[in-house]
Amino acid sequence: MTVKAKLLAYFLDHPGHFHTGPELADHFQVSRNAIWKAVKQLETDGYEIIRHPKNGYALENLNQAIDPGQITHGLQHIWPELKVYYQDSTTSTNDLGRKHAADYPDQPAIFISSEQTAGRGRRGRTFYSSLSQGLYFSIVMTPPPGVNNDLVASLTIASASAYAETLSSYLPDDVMIKWVNDLFYHGKKVAGILTEATFDMEAQTISHLVLGIGSNLAGDFAKENAENQSVAGTIFGPQLPSLFNPNDLITNFITKFKGYYDDLASLVFLDYYRDHLLGKDQWVTYTENHETYRGKILGVTDLGHLSIETSEGKRRTLVSGEVSFSSQQFADL
């Protein structure tokens, strides 16, 4: 760990407290000049540090840009093994996650970006990724011990519940969930989730999971076509709140998600998902095997499948991956 990273962690553990240069140099067993350089580096990164001629240094305001150091510190007691990586732009954070799983099979990690140039959703669809304020991240992990392959499908639902709940804590109204993997706010799609698995043919089990989430934080879709404008929205409107810190958002989500992930078999996340299911008791159309059908959404089963009532009054169960819903019909619900 660099002196800068150690100093940041120390400041975060002692918010508002002053520490002299000699005190910090002695604590980290480095020179005073190394401390001075680390302070300058933190200031360049966007941290506001008070300098007092007698009392030394104190952290006044956090950097509000994405910073792996902040996230790592916030998760030190939640998921200390998780490695945090960030780059301004990438093709797809899920691609980075899949490569990491191949190169470092035992190392959980999260890859974060502010822009994707080749983001994708379910069934190979593209995910709009060039808003002025977007947030895209993918977590690579192994399935929890003792969880069978059927329950792994619940990971998308668990993450949707965790992210919707996290986002709602920043907003005046609740974020809703369109089965199975889209989040809507005020009738517009604001986030999408894509879970990809690596299957071990020899062991006949899933060896790795990559959970990707794309979020429209702020901006507008003025240059998009009419169809996208009618469906896509942002979480915070045209501008981010002045005090919004994406590091807190990611940390809060992972904290919530990790609780679900560690106890996936309990299905504790299903209550929240069901309470925030978009379109419940509404008639919708869906496509299955290239045929279009109509049904009324009734709810979600314990396996995460969608229960519907057909036009003939019969009850059917729809399985994710076998059917698709147009987002247009959920806009403005």
Side-chain angles (χ1 to χ4, degrees), residues 47-257:
Y47 290 92
E48 294 183 22
I49 297 173
I50 302 173
R51 296 164 176 260
H52 191 277
K54 291 184 179 180
N55 297 330
Y57 307 104
L59 178 63
E60 184 173 33
N61 289 308
L62 295 176
N63 173 19
Q64 290 180 244
I66 296 171
D67 185 347
Q70 276 190 57
I71 297 169
T72 299
H73 183 270
L75 296 173
Q76 61 182 322
H77 302 302
I78 304 298
W79 204 347
E81 305 86 6
L82 188 73
K83 296 294 184 182
V84 183
Y85 301 96
Y86 172 74
Q87 56 190 70
D88 288 338
S89 179
T90 186
T91 54
S92 164
T93 55
N94 263 32
D95 289 345
L96 298 177
R98 291 171 67 178
K99 184 179 186 305
H100 178 87
D103 294 341
Y104 306 97
D106 299 320
Q107 178 64 67
I110 179 171
F111 294 87
I112 309 165
S113 183
S114 298
E115 180 187 54
Q116 290 188 142
T117 58
R120 62 185 182 275
R122 291 178 65 237
R123 296 173 173 259
R125 300 186 183 97
T126 58
F127 188 87
Y128 184 80
S129 306
S130 55
L131 274 176
S132 59
Q133 296 290 341
L135 177 63
Y136 312 93
F137 57 88
S138 296
I139 305 172
V140 56
M141 61 207 134
T142 54
V147 174
N148 61 37
N149 290 351
D150 289 334
L151 279 176
V152 167
S154 299
L155 195 72
T156 298
I157 289 179
S159 61
S161 296
Y163 202 42
E165 187 171 0
T166 302
L167 289 174
S168 295
S169 68
Y170 289 81
L171 300 166
D173 301 304
D174 281 353
V175 171
M176 303 299 290
I177 307 169
K178 168 185 165 282
W179 185 83
V180 61
N181 64 327
D182 292 333
L183 303 187
F184 276 62
Y185 185 62
H186 286 174
K188 302 295 182 183
K189 179 180 174 179
V190 297
I193 300 170
L194 176 65
T195 305
E196 298 181 307
T198 301
F199 195 74
D200 186 326
M201 296 297 292
E202 183 176 345
Q204 291 294 295
T205 59
I206 292 174
S207 58
H208 293 95
L209 295 159
V210 179
L211 173 71
I213 297 182
S215 316
N216 302 332
L217 293 181
D220 64 58
F221 298 92
K223 296 182 180 180
E224 281 293 288
N225 60 47
E227 181 180 354
N228 283 349
Q229 288 186 27
S230 67
V231 174
T234 63
I235 295 164
F236 295 112
Q239 301 284 341
L240 286 175
S242 60
L243 298 179
F244 174 73
N245 188 328
N247 302 295
D248 289 340
L249 173 64
I250 294 170
T251 300
N252 292 339
F253 162 70
I254 293 178
T255 299
K256 174 65 68 174
F257 170 74

